[in-house]
Amino acid sequence: PTLTPDEISALVDSAQTMRGRAMLSLMASTGIRAKECCQARLDTLDLDERSLVVETVKTDFGKRTVYFDRKTRRILRKYIQKYREKYAETNDEYLFLRRNVNQHKENAHVSTDRLREEFVEAVLNCEQIQGKVDYEEMSDGRERCTVTSHILRRSFSQAWVDSGGDIMSLKNHQGWEN
């Protein structure tokens, strides 16, 4: 499934933390993967140009520049100016920091598990997308939500194609090999 722009906006607004809103908004407006979002570097973020250089994961595509919308810029600016400092005592190079960086110096950025937890919390708090939420039973008996953070990437790609975007440009934007 994919989400409409209104559903994405409601989902981002349903995040419980400013960091969560910033991460979800960035993923939704750029189509970057969860791990790419977590590993985003502060020095590659340009709020004036509304761009971010990300290191592609899962393929050998390398670095690529992605662009985000004005709403995401407002959220990122607010996160950086008012909230980012509470997640770490150091001025680390990562955009999204984990709490207590000094205890985990090898990975100062927020983990993909934590991003996914924030995503699930937002999904559970977002009434507008509850019709798309379903659960499946895993082999070990646990239940798993079928709506994952990857829905933001799929929704971005679908919106790109629906608005007449070029598929080869989308390939390069998303960091796909083929």
Side-chain angles (χ1 to χ4, degrees):
T2 60
L3 300 175
T4 67
D6 288 341
E7 291 170 331
I8 290 171
S9 182
L11 177 65
V12 169
D13 293 342
S14 295
Q16 298 298 295
T17 66
M18 192 65 216
R19 180 180 65 179
R21 281 191 289 283
M23 289 188 298
L24 297 183
S25 185
L26 182 62
M27 288 175 62
S29 70
T30 61
I32 62 176
R33 296 172 177 95
K35 189 171 184 179
E36 293 167 344
C37 181
C38 292
Q39 294 178 353
R41 296 174 115 43
L42 190 58
D43 63 348
T44 65
L45 176 71
D46 187 335
L47 290 174
D48 293 329
E49 294 292 322
R50 297 190 338 250
S51 67
L52 175 70
V53 177
V54 294
E55 183 72 39
T56 304
V57 299
K58 293 196 173 188
T59 67
D60 292 332
F61 195 87
K63 293 182 180 179
R64 66 188 198 283
T65 302
V66 295
Y67 298 89
F68 46 87
D69 58 19
R70 287 181 175 88
K71 179 180 179 184
T72 299
R73 176 173 55 190
R74 277 192 311 273
I75 293 170
L76 285 170
R77 185 170 278 139
K78 185 175 181 182
Y79 163 73
I80 291 167
Q81 290 173 348
K82 295 184 178 181
Y83 296 92
R84 185 176 178 272
E85 63 198 33
K86 85 177 194 180
Y87 289 100
E89 296 138 14
T90 63
N91 189 9
D92 203 275
E93 70 263 16
Y94 293 105
L95 178 56
F96 300 110
L97 301 172
R98 73 169 49 227
R99 291 186 181 153
N100 302 320
V101 171
N102 293 333
Q103 295 175 6
H104 307 282
K105 198 57 185 166
E106 70 282 355
N107 284 323
H109 60 78
V110 68
S111 69
T112 53
D113 287 341
R114 182 64 199 139
L115 182 147
R116 289 183 180 111
E117 287 172 11
E118 297 223 20
F119 175 80
V120 168
E121 289 173 14
V123 167
L124 295 175
N125 290 321
C126 184
E127 293 179 17
Q128 202 164 352
I129 67 167
Q130 290 307 306
K132 295 186 178 185
V133 175
D134 196 14
Y135 294 90
E136 63 186 11
E137 188 172 328
M138 296 171 43
S139 60
D140 63 0
R142 292 180 296 151
E143 280 193 336
R144 181 181 88 151
C145 183
T146 57
V147 176
T148 66
S149 61
H150 199 72
I151 198 170
L152 299 173
R153 186 168 169 83
R154 285 193 309 271
S155 298
F156 175 87
S157 298
Q158 186 66 53
W160 181 294
V161 171
D162 289 348
S163 66
D166 174 44
I167 194 76
M168 291 309 290
S169 297
L170 177 61
K171 171 195 166 296
N172 293 331
H173 185 277
Q174 296 294 74
W176 295 327
E177 286 183 337
N178 56 46

